[in-house]
Amino acid sequence: MHIALNYIVQDEMQADFRASPFPFFALEADEVTDAGNISILIIYIRNLSSLGEVTSRFLAERELTNTAADSIYNTMRSVMADRGLFDVDLVELATAVMVGIKTDVATKFKEKCPWIIISHCLAHRLQLAAEKAANQVPYHVKYISVLNQFTKSLKYSPKLCRVLEESKALHGEKSNKIKQVFFTRWLSFNDSVQALVNCITSVISCLQVVAMERGTPGRALLHGLVQQMSCYSFIIMTHFLADAVGILGLLSRSLQRADLPYDQSKAIIDVSILSI
């Protein structure tokens, strides 16, 4: 059934594409990993409809045997051939990754189609720049480690979760769930830091209570978390990141807007820099 539905959707898309008087198109591609740890290439196509409206549609997904540039490039070329898309009509390639210097996918397309425009996802470029800047602050790496130790302890300790909720009620603090953070996911990082800064007193208090109780599993780890999360550096970093990463989160969301005019992106970036 799903194969038949796939053919129907693809036939309709190709019919609409052929009906348009504008044969030119752009490809948007990204390489992701699914729940089974399998690399998947997802490809979208953007073109002008018969009414001159910009249309973006899902084109194909392909499992990748490896993520080398040659494999990704050949897979994309195969999809183009299957869908009847010609090199001469390709005007742009937009990606979140796969953009490098000499041996990347974008360069290979540029060699085949020298006229095309290469666009690197602005939100991904922001992530790379922010990650590189963060790595130059040694304590930031330690901060991430300490915060993730706490979120892991919270995940596997119903008692710690219960005491934290009681502590928040006692101190009149409210916040969302504090989740694990990653260098490469600034939106989730922002959500976690915002949740922590809104209940940091309750967090430290609940850690102290649970760590003092005899028979509590992992008491040594909890004692270590009390010392590290109650220190001046950790608290200051939490408040700093709540401000700075909050701005990065807003900027990232703005750059991912489907209706963002390209010429406005610089103005949004400049405002974010001034805010930081």
Side-chain angles (χ1 to χ4, degrees), residues 186-254:
W186 289 99
L187 291 179
S188 62
F189 188 6
N190 175 45
D191 293 340
S192 295
V193 174
Q194 297 296 340
L196 176 61
V197 79
N198 288 329
C199 67
I200 192 166
T201 301
S202 300
V203 167
I204 296 172
S205 177
C206 84
L207 283 171
Q208 290 172 333
V209 170
V210 178
M212 290 177 61
E213 295 184 5
R214 293 182 179 181
T216 299
R219 284 184 67 194
L221 174 62
L222 295 178
H223 275 296
L225 287 175
V226 170
Q227 294 178 357
Q228 295 179 90
M229 297 183 74
S230 61
C231 73
Y232 178 83
S233 298
F234 188 90
I235 295 173
I236 289 297
M237 178 63 84
T238 299
H239 284 273
F240 169 77
L241 289 175
D243 293 334
V245 181
I247 295 171
L248 290 179
L250 291 173
L251 174 59
S252 181
R253 286 188 174 92
S254 297

Side-chain angles (χ1 to χ4, degrees), residues 6-20 43-47 55-60 79 83 85:
N6 178 63
Y7 278 119
I8 291 174
V9 172
Q10 292 296 337
D11 288 345
E12 288 181 352
M13 184 188 71
Q14 289 183 323
D16 291 342
F17 187 78
R18 287 193 294 269
S20 173
I43 307 173
Y44 289 81
I45 185 171
R46 173 171 287 193
N47 68 294
T55 303
S56 295
R57 309 184 209 185
F58 172 77
L59 182 63
V79 169
R83 299 292 187 263
L85 302 173

Side-chain angles (χ1 to χ4, degrees), residues 8-224:
I8 291 174
V9 172
Q10 292 296 337
D11 288 345
E12 288 181 352
M13 184 188 71
Q14 289 183 323
D16 291 342
F17 187 78
R18 287 193 294 269
S20 173
F22 313 101
F24 309 108
F25 67 93
L27 293 179
E28 301 175 355
D30 194 10
E31 184 262 322
V32 298
T33 304
D34 68 5
N37 203 31
I38 296 175
S39 294
I40 305 292
L41 183 67
I42 302 176
I43 307 173
Y44 289 81
I45 185 171
R46 173 171 287 193
N47 68 294
L48 293 175
S49 68
S50 57
L51 299 177
E53 299 173 340
V54 177
T55 303
S56 295
R57 309 184 209 185
F58 172 77
L59 182 63
E61 70 171 37
R62 293 288 187 272
E63 179 178 337
L64 295 171
T65 55
N66 65 73
T67 56
D70 286 335
S71 177
I72 296 175
Y73 173 75
N74 291 333
T75 300
M76 294 184 67
R77 299 288 301 173
S78 175
V79 169
M80 289 177 61
D82 292 342
R83 299 292 187 263
L85 302 173
F86 303 103
D87 291 340
V88 68
D89 297 325
L90 177 62
V91 295
E92 183 178 8
L93 173 65
T95 70
V97 290
M98 302 180 286
V99 177
I101 300 177
K102 295 181 179 179
T103 60
D104 60 283
V105 177
T107 298
K108 293 181 180 297
F109 267 97
K110 198 75 172 178
E111 291 173 351
K112 186 71 175 179
C113 312
W115 58 85
I116 67 171
I117 299 171
I118 303 297
S119 298
H120 187 183
C121 172
L122 287 175
H124 186 252
R125 290 169 64 183
L126 169 65
Q127 176 264 312
L128 292 175
E131 180 182 356
K132 185 175 181 180
N135 285 336
Q136 297 180 32
V137 182
Y139 185 76
H140 183 264
V141 177
K142 181 179 180 181
Y143 180 90
I144 298 294
S145 176
V146 172
L147 183 53
N148 281 339
Q149 285 179 12
F150 172 71
T151 58
K152 186 177 180 180
S153 299
L154 203 61
K155 180 178 180 181
Y156 294 107
S157 176
K159 181 178 183 179
L160 191 60
C161 291
R162 175 178 55 80
V163 176
L164 175 58
E165 292 305 314
E166 293 173 353
S167 183
K168 286 196 288 186
L170 178 64
H171 291 93
E173 295 180 331
K174 296 181 180 180
S175 72
N176 295 325
K177 182 178 179 181
I178 305 172
K179 301 178 181 179
Q180 183 180 5
V181 298
F182 301 89
F183 273 119
T184 56
R185 301 177 185 174
W186 289 99
L187 291 179
S188 62
F189 188 6
N190 175 45
D191 293 340
S192 295
V193 174
Q194 297 296 340
L196 176 61
V197 79
N198 288 329
C199 67
I200 192 166
T201 301
S202 300
V203 167
I204 296 172
S205 177
C206 84
L207 283 171
Q208 290 172 333
V209 170
V210 178
M212 290 177 61
E213 295 184 5
R214 293 182 179 181
T216 299
R219 284 184 67 194
L221 174 62
L222 295 178
H223 275 296

